[in-house]
């Protein structure tokens, strides 16, 4: 007999209700059994691409008849350089990962009305950048300074998309916000008032109360200020780091390292730094690290614990992909924000959910559960790592950017033009304009050849019932863990203040 995942969850809830009436000793065993059965059933049901990884073809920077020069004439302006013509990709495209479905959801507010020039300009007052692409060339208006080099690295990333799929991106006009927190709040643009639909704003993250259009963040092309390498290089380093210590030989604790001063959730997490909570919390002084050459912040050397904690910063954190990539079971403290790939992650499948309101006890329980069920905990870690290693390859990052921008351009009700004050930018001048680590990261992350295949095939949008079932499944999986925690509350020490 085969059940779908909604049926599995319903049966699990019935079983949990019956378990609560049992004696404590029997109840603990039964609770764990229900969790394990749910995990097993859902991992079979999830789209096979998440679990078995059919994406065997690696992203290579070769295999096409066209190549880009690795040397630039820095005396040239962008206007002197002709963009490469569109390529005829002979290889058939593969299916996009499931998380591409969220593109349809992010653009849904403008599906009926389309996007007018007035709507785009309305976002100007909150945006850092206006990005216009015309005939394969890119023009920028900059409205305000962004933190560090987020804006310029974001521009660099889009330029690499133009090199990866030359001649394929349509003309478009968009506003981009480079801060942490989403800007376009739903309560300001209710469907019932005249201000709807909202101004379209591209941004690195979103949440349930905002309309921001989620786009890959700058760190995929490297974060030079913190010496974090471009993702395609760092991903390989993390794979090598995973192989240094077998999972069973890693420290049997939960580990977090970062800047605890940027958010309340991180500040509170520091209180869990004690043996009684099974946690190891390591605060980073970035000023010290910068002075001493980042000697203790190598990400590939931090895959040494069985469990790694994810805690949001001011909003989402770019660290999530690095934590998931470690093969450790990721302990995620109730995220409120999402970036473009994380909405399809599932609790107890790709990570273990941590109760934000009782972090230390929740972390302690997760570690104890994992150390009692090592095979299952290791599998959760491996599935999370496999998700980012295979479904977050740079080929798919560029494909996501391509499909999002392509779908967005279809909604434009006007023909984009070069804006007054717009400055043309190109890869060549952006490499020539910097030195040191910034120049190295740009060269390292530069697209060397056009893609040798077409963009992946976009999945259709969610049916309403399909999306509701998926979100219900996520919520119920978390509820099961909360119920399991409550059943084990006896014996967990009281929080010391």
């Amino acid at each position: 007999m085969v059940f779908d995942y909604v049926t599995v969850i319903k049966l699990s809830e019935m079983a949990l209700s019956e378990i609560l009436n049992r004696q404590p000793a029997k109840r603990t065993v039964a609770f764990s059994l229900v969790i394990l059965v749910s995990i097993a059933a859902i991992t079979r049901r999830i789209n096979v691409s998440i679990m078995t990884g059919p994406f065997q073809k690696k992203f290579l920077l070769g295999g096409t008849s066209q190549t880009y020069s690795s040397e630039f004439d820095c005396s040239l302006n962008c206007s002197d350089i002709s963009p490469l013509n569109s390529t005829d990709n002979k290889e058939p495209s593969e299916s996009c990962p499931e998380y591409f479905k969220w593109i349809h959801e992010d653009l849904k507010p403008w599906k009926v009305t389309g996007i007018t020039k007035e709507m785009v300009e309305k976002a100007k007052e909150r945006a850092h950048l206006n990005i216009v692409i015309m005939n394969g060339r890119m023009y920028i208006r900059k409205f305000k300074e962004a933190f560090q080099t987020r804006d310029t690295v974001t521009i660099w990333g889009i330029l690499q998309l133009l090199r990866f799929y030359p001649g394929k991106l349509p003309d478009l006009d968009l506003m981009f916000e480079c801060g942490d927190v989403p800007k376009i709040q739903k309560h300001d643009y209710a469907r019932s008032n005249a201000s709807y639909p909202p101004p379209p704003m591209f941004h690195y993250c979103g949440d349930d109360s905002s309309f921001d259009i989620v786009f890959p963040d700058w760190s995929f092309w490297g974060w030079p200020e913190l010496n974090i390498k471009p993702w395609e290089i760092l991903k390989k380093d993390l794979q090598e780091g995973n192989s240094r210590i077998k999972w069973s030989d890693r420290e049997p604790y939960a580990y977090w390292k970062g800047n605890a001063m940027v958010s309340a959730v991180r500040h509170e997490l520091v209180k869990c730094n004690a043996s009684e909570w099974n946690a190891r919390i390591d605060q980073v002084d970035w000023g010290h690290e910068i002075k001493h050459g980042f000697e203790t912040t190598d990400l590939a050397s931090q895959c040494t614990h069985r469990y790694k904690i994810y805690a949001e910063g001011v909003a989402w954190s770019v660290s999530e992909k690095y934590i998931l990539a470690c093969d450790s079971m990721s302990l995620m403290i109730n995220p409120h924000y999402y970036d473009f790939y994380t909405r399809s992650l599932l609790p107890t499948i790709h990570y273990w959910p941590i109760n934000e309101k009782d972090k230390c006890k929740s972390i302690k329980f997760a570690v104890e559960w994992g150390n009692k069920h090592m095979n299952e905990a290791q599998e959760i870690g491996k599935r999370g790592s496999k998700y980012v290693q295979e479904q977050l390859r740079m080929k798919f990052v560029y494909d996501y950017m391509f499909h999002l921008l392509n779908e967005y351009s279809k909604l434009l009700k006007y023909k984009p033009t070069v804006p007054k004050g717009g400055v043309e930018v190109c890869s060549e001048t952006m490499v020539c304009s910097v030195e040191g680590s910034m120049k190295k990261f740009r060269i390292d992350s530069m697209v060397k050849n056009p893609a040798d295949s077409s963009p992946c095939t976009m999945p259709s949008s969610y049916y309403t019932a399909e999306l509701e079932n998926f979100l219900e499944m996520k919520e119920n999986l978390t509820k099961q863990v909360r119920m399991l925690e409550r059943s084990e509350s006896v014996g967990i020490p009281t929080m010391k203040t």
Side-chain angles (χ1 to χ4, degrees), residues 114-125 173 175 197-200 412-414:
I115 296 172
T116 65
K117 179 67 173 176
E118 291 72 25
M119 291 179 190
V120 173
E121 286 297 318
K122 195 173 181 180
K124 174 182 174 180
E125 60 192 43
D173 177 13
M175 296 292 174
L412 295 179
K413 308 291 282 185
Y414 64 99

Coordinates of all heavy atoms in Angstrom, one line a residue, residues 114-125 173 175 197-200 412-414:
G114 N 0.4 43.3 -15.1 CA 1.7 43.6 -15.8 C 2.4 44.7 -15.0 O 2.0 45.1 -13.9
I115 N 3.6 45.1 -15.5 CA 4.4 46.1 -14.8 C 4.6 47.3 -15.7 O 5.1 47.2 -16.8 CB 5.8 45.5 -14.4 CG1 5.6 44.3 -13.4 CG2 6.7 46.5 -13.8 CD1 6.8 43.5 -13.2
T116 N 4.2 48.5 -15.2 CA 4.4 49.7 -15.9 C 5.7 50.4 -15.5 O 6.3 50.1 -14.5 CB 3.2 50.6 -15.7 OG1 3.2 51.0 -14.3 CG2 1.9 49.9 -16.0
K117 N 6.0 51.4 -16.3 CA 7.2 52.2 -16.0 C 7.0 53.0 -14.7 O 7.9 53.1 -13.9 CB 7.4 53.2 -17.2 CG 8.6 54.2 -16.9 CD 9.9 53.4 -17.0 CE 11.1 54.4 -16.9 NZ 12.4 53.7 -16.9
E118 N 5.8 53.4 -14.4 CA 5.5 54.1 -13.2 C 5.7 53.2 -12.0 O 6.2 53.7 -10.9 CB 4.0 54.6 -13.2 CG 3.8 55.8 -14.2 CD 3.8 55.3 -15.7 OE1 3.5 54.1 -15.9 OE2 4.1 56.1 -16.6
M119 N 5.3 52.0 -12.1 CA 5.5 51.0 -11.0 C 7.0 50.9 -10.7 O 7.4 50.9 -9.5 CB 4.9 49.7 -11.3 CG 3.4 49.6 -11.4 SD 2.9 47.9 -11.8 CE 1.2 48.2 -12.1
V120 N 7.8 50.7 -11.7 CA 9.2 50.5 -11.5 C 9.9 51.8 -10.9 O 10.6 51.7 -10.0 CB 9.9 50.2 -12.9 CG1 11.4 50.2 -12.7 CG2 9.4 48.8 -13.4
E121 N 9.5 52.9 -11.4 CA 10.1 54.2 -10.9 C 9.6 54.4 -9.5 O 10.4 55.1 -8.7 CB 9.7 55.4 -11.8 CG 10.4 55.4 -13.1 CD 11.9 55.6 -13.0 OE1 12.3 56.4 -12.1 OE2 12.7 54.9 -13.7
K122 N 8.5 53.9 -9.1 CA 8.0 54.1 -7.7 C 8.9 53.4 -6.7 O 9.0 53.8 -5.5 CB 6.6 53.5 -7.6 CG 5.8 54.0 -6.3 CD 4.4 53.5 -6.4 CE 3.6 54.0 -5.1 NZ 2.2 53.5 -5.2
A123 N 9.6 52.4 -7.1 CA 10.6 51.7 -6.3 C 11.9 52.4 -6.1 O 12.7 52.0 -5.3 CB 10.8 50.2 -6.8
K124 N 12.1 53.4 -6.9 CA 13.4 54.1 -6.9 C 13.8 54.7 -5.6 O 15.0 54.6 -5.2 CB 13.3 55.2 -8.0 CG 14.5 56.1 -8.0 CD 14.3 57.3 -9.0 CE 15.5 58.3 -9.0 NZ 15.3 59.3 -10.0
E125 N 12.8 55.2 -4.8 CA 13.1 55.9 -3.6 C 13.7 54.9 -2.5 O 14.4 55.3 -1.6 CB 11.9 56.5 -3.0 CG 10.7 55.6 -2.7 CD 9.4 56.3 -2.4 OE1 9.1 57.3 -3.1 OE2 8.8 55.9 -1.5
D173 N 14.2 46.3 -17.3 CA 14.4 47.5 -16.5 C 13.9 47.1 -15.1 O 12.8 46.8 -14.9 CB 13.6 48.6 -17.1 CG 13.7 49.9 -16.3 OD1 14.6 50.0 -15.4 OD2 12.9 50.8 -16.5
M175 N 14.6 47.6 -10.5 CA 15.2 48.3 -9.3 C 15.7 47.2 -8.4 O 15.0 46.1 -8.2 CB 14.1 49.1 -8.6 CG 13.7 50.3 -9.4 SD 15.0 51.5 -9.7 CE 14.1 52.7 -10.9
P197 N -1.1 47.0 -7.6 CA -0.1 46.2 -7.1 C 1.1 47.0 -6.7 O 1.3 48.2 -7.0 CB 0.3 45.4 -8.4 CG 0.0 46.2 -9.5 CD -1.3 47.0 -9.1
P198 N 2.0 46.4 -5.9 CA 3.2 47.1 -5.3 C 4.2 47.4 -6.4 O 4.2 46.8 -7.5 CB 3.7 46.1 -4.3 CG 3.3 44.7 -4.9 CD 2.0 44.9 -5.5
P199 N 5.2 48.2 -6.1 CA 6.3 48.4 -7.0 C 7.2 47.2 -6.9 O 7.5 46.7 -5.9 CB 7.0 49.7 -6.4 CG 6.6 49.7 -4.9 CD 5.2 49.1 -4.9
P200 N 7.7 46.7 -8.1 CA 8.5 45.5 -8.1 C 9.9 45.9 -7.7 O 10.6 46.8 -8.2 CB 8.5 45.1 -9.6 CG 8.2 46.3 -10.3 CD 7.3 47.2 -9.5
L412 N 6.6 43.3 -18.4 CA 6.8 44.7 -18.7 C 5.8 45.2 -19.7 O 5.7 44.6 -20.8 CB 8.2 45.0 -19.1 CG 9.3 44.8 -18.0 CD1 10.7 45.1 -18.6 CD2 9.1 45.6 -16.8
K413 N 5.2 46.3 -19.4 CA 4.2 46.9 -20.4 C 4.8 48.0 -21.2 O 4.1 48.8 -21.9 CB 3.0 47.4 -19.6 CG 2.3 46.5 -18.6 CD 1.6 45.3 -19.3 CE 0.3 45.8 -19.8 NZ -0.5 44.6 -20.4
Y414 N 6.1 48.2 -21.2 CA 6.8 49.2 -21.9 C 8.1 48.7 -22.4 O 8.6 47.7 -22.0 CB 7.0 50.5 -21.1 CG 7.9 50.2 -19.9 CD1 9.2 50.6 -19.9 CD2 7.4 49.6 -18.7 CE1 10.1 50.4 -18.8 CE2 8.3 49.4 -17.6 CZ 9.6 49.8 -17.7 OH 10.4 49.6 -16.6

